[in-house]
Amino acid sequence: MKGMKLLTRMARSFVAGDNVDDALKQVQKLKDKGIMVTLDILGEAVEDKPMCDKAVQDYLDLLKKLAEVKSEAHISLKLTQMGLAIDDEYCTQNMVKIIGLAKKSGRFVRIDMEGSDVTQRTLDIFYRLRQQFDNAGIVVQAYLHRTEQDVRDINALKAKVRLCKGAYKEPKEVAIKKMKAIRVNFIKLAEMLFRKGVYPAIATHDSKLIKWTKAYTAENKIKNSDWEFQFLYGIRNKTQRKLAEEGYRVRTYVPFGTHWIPYFYRRLRERKENVFFLTKNFFKR
Ligand code: FDA
């Protein structure tokens, strides 16, 4: 029990709170600093239909709330939270409800990318949804060998892409393992998105990639209004603020809700110092 309390306090640095009101407070603070947001209700790998129905309803309620408070926030979600583990058609219809309601208030919906076991099905559902909606975008992961071809296909559809390195544990047959090589691929994919894509989102906390993006967009005279940087809530806050002050468009991914364990675990895994840092700080309090 004590251990759970400790973890909950540690998770607070990456999660904006348990409910939408907690999250909206953080959204306002970010807005005051000139930072935009995409909101994520935590949840994934849901195999139980009533739980999926509840997650869908939670997103519909979130969209209504955002319209009420006149927030321009985007939303992000995972297809395994929307029924991908149950049935593709059920999942697609859940997404139609959510993207359809988002469209009514001119809001953008980003489909997060999960493990390589569901990459193709996630893309297939996204391609289906794109035939009906233009307010949906997707994520691609620079560590996957397949991503170059996926970016070509997505660019051909003129769909919006968030480019990230990738956060799941993948075998070497499907994913690049060395950080240096992932960075090289990230840059190659970013160039493809800047040249032939639509409004790319460069989602990384990596200083080298941020520096490269700033230099590339300046050299190629790409306007700041044609793309954005994206960060995760609670990570490199000063950099987020500084980039916004410098005139770049910055959007923070703000997760909230009670199902934070898998998300939190991925954040810890990305940086082992987190475990030491957070534990040390917890005991200092
Ligand atoms: P990297 O991990 O090399 O970090 C660079 C530096 O940033 C570190 O040295 C440290 O200073 C800081 N940093 C990074 N992670 C930190 C952490 N957890 N705590 C503290 N400091 C940290 N992945 C995915 O598979 N599917 C998805 O849909 C998404 N969506 C997504 C949205 C957004 C907005 C972002 C920023 C990222 C994602 N990701 C994701 C996660 C992504 O794939 C990747 O795992 C993380 O961003 C970490 O990789 P970086 O490129 O940030 O670099």
Side-chain angles (χ1 to χ4, degrees):
M1 192 59 201
K2 208 173 159 201
M4 194 62 194
K5 271 194 187 157
L6 167 78
L7 276 181
T8 310
R9 284 184 73 172
M10 288 163 79
R12 281 275 173 236
S13 31
F14 299 114
V15 174
D18 285 346
N19 56 53
V20 65
D21 292 324
D22 293 341
L24 288 178
K25 278 184 206 142
Q26 301 309 317
V27 169
Q28 186 56 48
K29 283 187 193 166
L30 289 162
K31 196 176 170 191
D32 293 343
K33 292 169 190 144
I35 296 172
M36 306 175 288
V37 297
T38 183
L39 281 164
D40 168 64
I41 306 178
L42 288 162
E44 56 197 88
V46 182
E47 291 177 1
D48 173 76
K49 215 167 177 186
M51 272 177 73
C52 274
D53 291 342
K54 161 100 176 49
V56 173
Q57 192 54 50
D58 287 347
Y59 266 102
L60 296 174
D61 292 344
L62 171 63
L63 288 167
K64 286 177 204 150
K65 179 90 181 187
L66 291 174
E68 254 169 55
V69 300
K70 298 193 170 34
S71 165
E72 288 165 10
H74 292 180
I75 60 168
S76 288
L77 46 70
K78 294 183 174 48
L79 290 192
T80 66
Q81 182 183 17
M82 297 296 134
L84 194 66
I86 297 167
D87 173 58
D88 287 18
E89 186 57 31
Y90 166 69
C91 179
T92 307
Q93 292 317 318
N94 284 338
M95 290 302 293
V96 166
K97 286 184 204 162
I98 292 171
I99 303 176
L101 184 61
K103 174 122 183 124
K104 283 189 184 154
S105 54
R107 202 174 302 281
F108 184 74
V109 179
R110 179 82 63 181
I111 299 175
D112 289 344
M113 191 53 80
E114 303 179 67
S116 62
D117 53 329
V118 293
T119 309
Q120 190 56 53
R121 286 170 63 214
T122 302
L123 286 169
D124 289 343
I125 290 179
F126 171 66
Y127 294 146
R128 243 183 102 185
L129 292 164
R130 273 290 301 182
Q131 292 171 6
Q132 201 178 338
F133 300 105
D134 58 4
N135 61 320
I138 190 76
V139 178
V140 297
Q141 298 155 322
Y143 65 10
L144 291 188
H145 299 307
R146 61 172 289 160
T147 300
E148 190 177 334
Q149 184 55 48
D150 289 335
V151 166
R152 262 186 227 115
D153 296 344
I154 301 165
N155 276 351
L157 294 177
K158 299 279 164 220
K160 290 182 184 169
V161 169
R162 173 199 296 152
L163 173 63
C164 65
K165 283 183 187 162
Y168 296 78
K169 209 169 180 350
E170 299 289 1
K172 66 175 187 323
E173 291 71 30
V174 294
I176 307 166
K177 300 306 257 182
K178 293 256 179 327
M179 185 53 86
K180 219 173 155 186
I182 296 173
R183 269 200 201 106
V184 169
N185 204 36
F186 192 106
I187 287 174
K188 184 178 190 180
L189 298 167
E191 281 187 309
M192 288 168 73
L193 291 169
F194 278 121
R195 285 207 195 111
K196 297 208 169 145
V198 176
Y199 195 81
I202 304 299
T204 182
H205 314 101
D206 187 326
S207 302
K208 288 194 175 110
L209 292 175
I210 293 171
K211 198 171 161 204
W212 176 84
T213 306
K214 289 168 82 171
Y216 181 85
T217 51
E219 271 161 30
N220 291 280
K221 300 192 172 35
I222 298 167
K223 288 192 286 210
N224 287 353
S225 56
D226 288 345
W227 63 282
E228 67 188 34
F229 276 122
Q230 292 194 351
F231 289 80
L232 297 178
Y233 176 82
I235 300 179
R236 303 207 65 182
N237 297 334
K238 262 195 213 155
T239 307
Q240 298 190 27
R241 269 202 314 274
K242 191 164 174 285
L243 289 169
E245 281 162 16
E246 287 171 13
Y248 292 100
R249 288 168 72 93
V250 178
R251 188 178 304 277
T252 301
Y253 181 105
V254 179
F256 69 95
T258 50
H259 297 284
W260 46 262
I261 290 176
Y263 178 86
F264 177 53
Y265 174 69
R266 286 195 291 278
R267 301 293 80 79
L268 287 186
R269 223 163 50 88
E270 275 155 13
R271 204 174 174 235
K272 296 204 173 41
E273 297 96 296
N274 275 338
V275 181
F276 303 117
F277 175 80
L278 290 169
T279 311
K280 194 176 84 190
N281 275 283
F282 177 80
F283 287 113
K284 259 195 209 158
R285 282 166 204 247

